[in-house]
Amino acid sequence: MSEFIHLNDLVIPILRKRRRKTVTIRIKKAQAQVYAPMGASRSSIHAFVASKSSWIQKHLTAHAEQAKKIAANKLNLHDGGSIRVLGQDLLLRLVPDLASLAIQAGDSLLIRSQDNLSSAQALFLGLRAYVMEQSEIKFAALVNKYTAQLGVHPKRISIKEYRSRWGSCNVRKEVQFNWLIALAPPQAMEYVVVHELCHLIHFNHSPAFWSAVGQLMPEYPVWRRWFSTYGESLWSVLDNKTYVN
């Protein structure tokens, strides 16, 4: 049977865990949740939650503001819409009988329409194909810029589509970048490149790693926060309900 705590106008679910020894409050997707031991009394749980009322409201407000920012910056692909690609604002245009899947013409990105796909799906496929092709040159230039300072070079660079990471670096010194970061501000994309290249030296997130990142890009905290704040706007492009893989 589900349990809830009522606090002012909030209805907070209680999740009891056998191995938990203390009561904890977490905020997930703008919803407060209470984790409690199996044997904790409702009165003790309520007293704890009440004592954290200000903390809960503060974090719920922060989450709500975050959700507004994400919604305002969500990337919706539609014919005639504008999107930033590798630092350039391009107008998306669906064109029938286009020889290529996508081609840039001035400040427009022409994308071939397809009868068996919705306009959003066709735009997604064209945008992804265009970014995959064009970003190789940009990423290679950024990698060369920073590896010259690091004195270490990756054995391979590739562009991938990830659903939970912006880039990766493995023990074989192969570096991968998510094509979605080409839709971010240039400095944000540059931060991901610096981040992954520093893993060639420090295969962890130790203080030494962050020190190396800071030496190459002193303003990196700004762009690290950018992904925390606006990263969801990039993931929205991969919405399975709308687009195709």
Side-chain angles (χ1 to χ4, degrees):
M1 183 176 179
S2 299
E3 288 186 88
F4 298 92
I5 288 288
H6 293 267
L7 181 67
N8 300 324
D9 59 343
L10 299 176
V11 179
I12 305 174
I14 301 174
L15 305 175
R16 294 183 181 269
K17 302 294 180 179
R18 292 187 181 280
R19 296 184 179 181
R20 175 161 290 280
K21 297 181 178 180
T22 59
V23 179
T24 302
I25 302 171
R26 296 178 185 173
I27 309 295
K28 290 186 176 181
K29 297 182 178 180
Q31 169 68 57
Q33 297 179 335
V34 179
Y35 292 79
M38 294 297 294
S41 66
R42 283 185 58 84
S43 60
S44 64
I45 295 173
H46 190 281
F48 178 80
V49 172
S51 71
K52 300 294 182 180
S53 177
S54 297
W55 182 93
I56 293 171
Q57 193 56 58
K58 175 184 175 181
H59 284 77
L60 287 177
T61 299
H63 276 253
E65 292 175 352
Q66 173 83 343
K68 288 180 181 179
K69 289 180 181 179
I70 292 172
N73 289 272
K74 185 176 181 179
L75 300 181
N76 293 309
L77 304 184
H78 61 274
D79 191 13
S82 179
I83 194 167
R84 175 175 46 205
V85 181
L86 295 169
Q88 181 180 7
D89 290 329
L90 296 176
L91 187 68
L92 298 175
R93 298 292 302 276
L94 280 174
V95 179
D97 303 321
L98 191 68
S100 302
L101 193 58
I103 186 172
Q104 184 177 348
D107 61 356
S108 294
L109 181 59
L110 307 182
I111 295 175
R112 185 173 65 213
S113 59
Q114 302 183 49
D115 293 337
N116 61 324
L117 298 177
S118 68
S119 60
Q121 291 171 337
L123 288 168
F124 171 78
L125 290 178
L127 174 64
R128 181 172 63 180
Y130 177 79
V131 171
M132 287 284 195
E133 177 185 350
Q134 297 296 317
S135 61
E136 288 185 8
I137 299 173
K138 179 65 174 180
F139 281 120
L142 287 173
V143 167
N144 288 336
K145 171 184 175 181
Y146 287 108
T147 53
Q149 300 177 54
L150 280 173
V152 180
H153 298 267
K155 291 183 178 179
R156 183 184 177 191
I157 303 169
S158 56
I159 314 300
K160 303 283 188 179
E161 179 172 292
Y162 293 119
R163 295 176 178 271
S164 61
R165 63 176 67 179
W166 303 115
S168 66
C169 176
N170 60 38
V171 293
R172 296 184 297 276
K173 296 188 181 299
E174 297 170 333
V175 177
Q176 295 84 32
F177 300 111
N178 192 332
W179 72 271
L180 290 176
I181 64 174
L183 309 181
Q187 300 94 325
M189 183 174 68
E190 198 159 341
Y191 159 68
V192 175
V193 171
V194 169
H195 184 116
E196 299 307 332
L197 290 179
C198 285
H199 279 314
L200 294 171
I201 301 174
H202 305 283
F203 204 66
N204 51 43
H205 289 101
S206 63
F209 166 81
W210 290 113
S211 177
V213 173
Q215 288 176 14
L216 292 181
M217 191 178 192
E219 71 279 17
Y220 85 85
V222 173
W223 302 107
R224 187 185 181 195
R225 286 194 298 270
W226 186 92
F227 281 104
S228 296
T229 304
Y230 300 109
E232 282 295 325
S233 66
L234 302 184
W235 295 124
S236 65
V237 175
L238 300 180
D239 186 348
N240 289 327
K241 295 179 181 178
T242 306
Y243 308 121
V244 294
N245 295 318

